[in-house]
Structure formats: C-alpha cells, structure tokens
Amino acid sequence: MPRTSFAACLLFSILTPALWSQQAQAPAQNPSTERWDILSLTGSGLHAQPPILGQKDTLPDFTRELIQVQWRDNDPMDLYVIRPAGIAKPPVVLVLYSYPTDTAKFLNNALCENFIRHGFAVAGFVSALTGSRYHDRPMKQWFVSQLPESIGASVHDVQMVINYLETRSDLDADRVGIFGQGSGGTIAILAAATDSRIQAVDVMDPWGDWPNWLAKSPQVPESERPAYLRPEFLASVAPLDPVHWLTQWRKHPTHTVIRIQENLFNLAMPEDVRRQMETAAAGSAEIVEYHSRQEYLEKVSTNSRMLDWMQSKLDTKNLSADNKAGS
C-alpha cells in the first residue's frame, strides 16, 4: 500500500505557497456513495475490513497497539490504541490533533503515560489527507483545497472508529469522549453533533466560521486564498461549519458536554473566528481562555492536566472494583 514517510509529510507541510501556484477548484465529486456534506454514516456505503494488528508494545504502565483499519479503497488508516495497565475495561478518549500532525505523537512514551494516568484508554489517528493518509494526489490537492473531504471524511472516520471500539471487550465503549485540536477540534464537534455515543467533547482552538477563517487564517497560502472565497467553495463547506452546529447545540441541548479552550496567544487563529465560535457556543459549552503561554503551561501542560476535565465528565475516579484487573 502506498504510504508517505513522516519526513515527507513534514516537508510537505512547510512547502512555500509558490509550490501551490495553481488555484484550487471546487472539490471533486466523491466517486463512492459517501457524502462529505452529511455528518452521519447513513447512506455512506462504508464497510470496515477486518482490522490488522501491526505491532503491540507492552510497557509497565500501558500497552500500545498499532492497528490498521480500513473502510475506503486506497485509504488504510493507522489507529493507535493505548490502554492503561491494571484496568480491565477503561473508558476511551479519541484524540485527534490538528493538520498536519502525524501519528508519530502516539509513539511518544511520555505522552502516552500522560494519556493513561487517569485510567483512560486513548484511540489516536490522523484526519483524512494528513500524514500517511496523503498519497496518490497531485500536490495542488491538500487538506484545505479539499476541505469538505478532509473534514467530512474524518467525521465519518470518528464514527467508524467507535464502531470498532465497540467490538472490543477490553474497552468501555459506553463511556467515550473526544479531544481535538485545531482541525481535529472541528472534526470532534461535528462528530459529536451526529453521534450520541460521544459523551464529552474537549477542543482547543477549533477551526471554523469558514468564510472568516478562509479569508484570514495564515494556514491558507495567499496565492490560493481567492479560490477558497468563491461562492461555490464556501457553499461546499457550509454544512461542515462548527459554528452552525454549536448554535444548534445551544437551541437543542443534548446529554453531551463540551468544553472549548482558546489560546489567546495563538496568532494562527483569527480573532473574528474565535469570537464567532465562542458566541455560537455560549450557554451550551464551557469556555476557557488562556491569555498567555505561561498560563496555558501552568493550567494545562504542567502536571499533565490535559485530560483532567474529561476525567470528571466520564467519571473515571469512580471505576468500580470489578472493573479493575487483578494484580
């Protein structure tokens, strides 16, 4: 199966806009029955192939499995499942970082120890057109130029991953949360809007408010920006705008709880987008702002507090005695 190396993906992520000189067009039609403008799996035609265990690492505090899953032609996906030692059936948090982060983060043992120290299992993967999932494409096609596919397909991936997690007897798929950063935060919000199995959503600097984000985000090369502001492109991403779904969340509350973390020192996030996101989420989400990098380090990064909020919502402190493996 064709795969790009992490080094190649990293090189791609820092290429200058000059290499993307050809203006992006409206996204190509999906040749399968999968529709990227529909959040749910209904009618998607996705059917999972049997998962393949590629590698299993057993460490004192956790086990880490690399599993290949696939439900589209030519799009195998690396899924890392990290389980804490000593807990027979831990709750699961899906972790989805922002484009262009690759799965190499899940090979960091210190990070994995931070993930599982609250009794969680973690399921980590990368979004569509990211890392090893970017291949067999002309270079002018990338995450933003194909934004409806990048976001829509990944929302479906989240649901397919939960389907897989439900087949495992060593995970508590009745307690599922999702943490997303940047574009991963966008995908997390949209997935939770359609899949009631997700009980807690924690996102950091989520992308959205597409007209403003595409007009002002430094993630978008200036040479390509006019193409993404065309009415046809904006219409193609409108159904995938988290601002819309956060507004619906406020009007029609669900059992799912959500927190939005905003790093006000993050210059890559347009201020207009941040304000729109917070306005849409007001009354339905907990909103936390970090005014400086130092504040973020003290409240989140230091002492591995990233999943503390998720712990309180999935109630891992009260794991019953029969859910703990014998020593």
Side-chain angles (χ1 to χ4, degrees):
M1 298 174 195
R3 294 167 60 96
T4 18
S5 68
F6 174 65
C9 295
L10 182 61
L11 176 62
F12 167 73
S13 72
I14 60 174
L15 286 172
T16 61
L19 292 175
W20 294 314
S21 57
Q22 182 167 346
Q23 285 189 331
Q25 303 300 315
Q29 294 297 312
N30 188 357
S32 74
T33 58
E34 183 180 7
R35 286 187 56 178
W36 300 312
D37 60 336
I38 296 177
L39 300 184
S40 77
L41 291 175
T42 303
S44 67
L46 298 180
H47 299 284
Q49 298 180 16
I52 300 172
L53 176 63
Q55 182 175 335
K56 183 174 182 178
D57 301 321
T58 302
L59 289 87
D61 295 328
F62 65 89
T63 60
R64 177 176 52 219
E65 297 173 329
L66 170 57
I67 301 158
Q68 185 182 86
V69 293
Q70 185 170 353
W71 32 81
R72 297 183 193 86
D73 291 342
N74 302 316
D75 188 21
M77 193 170 85
D78 289 344
L79 174 67
Y80 283 89
V81 176
I82 302 151
R83 295 180 61 255
I87 298 179
K89 207 171 179 184
V92 190
V93 178
L94 281 70
V95 174
L96 196 57
Y97 288 105
S98 189
Y99 171 87
T101 307
D102 204 342
T103 52
K105 288 185 76 77
F106 300 110
L107 294 173
N108 183 318
N109 290 345
L111 180 63
C112 291
E113 288 175 356
N114 290 342
F115 281 151
I116 58 85
R117 76 183 190 96
H118 292 307
F120 291 117
V122 160
F125 59 99
V126 298
S127 52
L129 277 73
T130 303
S132 62
R133 298 184 66 189
Y134 181 83
H135 53 79
D136 301 330
R137 302 262 184 161
M139 187 164 277
K140 66 182 181 181
Q141 294 184 7
W142 63 294
F143 192 92
V144 174
S145 75
Q146 310 304 119
L147 196 58
E149 177 185 359
S150 303
I151 301 296
S154 300
V155 171
H156 295 164
D157 292 335
V158 169
Q159 297 168 77
M160 293 295 289
V161 166
I162 297 175
N163 288 352
Y164 163 70
L165 299 176
E166 287 183 327
T167 69
R168 295 184 54 142
S169 61
D170 58 352
L171 299 170
D172 185 356
D174 290 329
R175 288 188 290 172
V176 174
I178 185 168
F179 172 84
Q181 178 191 51
S183 59
T186 304
I187 294 159
I189 292 169
L190 299 181
T194 193
D195 195 326
S196 62
R197 295 174 296 179
I198 300 173
Q199 299 171 7
V201 183
D202 194 7
V203 298
M204 183 172 288
D205 297 332
W207 298 0
D209 184 23
W210 297 126
N212 273 323
W213 190 89
L214 290 165
K216 299 176 182 179
S217 172
Q219 298 272 0
V220 179
E222 290 299 331
S223 62
E224 297 184 33
R225 200 180 299 277
Y228 306 143
L229 298 178
R230 293 172 180 167
E232 59 269 28
F233 191 90
L234 292 176
S236 74
V237 296
L240 302 170
D241 197 329
V243 168
H244 166 74
W245 292 102
L246 287 170
T247 302
Q248 294 303 308
W249 223 319
R250 187 179 65 218
K251 293 178 180 177
H252 308 286
T254 70
H255 73 288
T256 304
V257 292
I258 180 169
R259 179 173 74 156
I260 298 178
Q261 303 180 73
E262 296 282 7
N263 291 311
L264 302 186
F265 57 89
N266 178 7
L267 300 180
M269 176 61 68
E271 185 59 31
D272 288 353
V273 172
R274 197 189 310 281
R275 285 199 299 267
Q276 283 281 63
M277 202 77 71
E278 293 188 1
T279 298
S284 61
E286 179 181 340
I287 298 173
V288 180
E289 295 181 341
Y290 306 113
H291 294 81
S292 67
R293 186 175 299 277
Q294 182 62 31
E295 182 183 9
Y296 167 78
L297 292 174
E298 291 175 355
K299 293 183 177 180
V300 180
S301 184
T302 305
N303 298 322
S304 310
R305 295 172 180 168
M306 187 176 76
L307 294 184
D308 281 9
W309 181 88
M310 191 74 73
Q311 172 184 350
S312 68
K313 301 309 176 185
L314 296 182
D315 198 24
T316 57
K317 289 181 180 178
N318 298 319
L319 286 170
S320 59
D322 61 356
N323 191 32
K324 294 190 178 181
S327 58

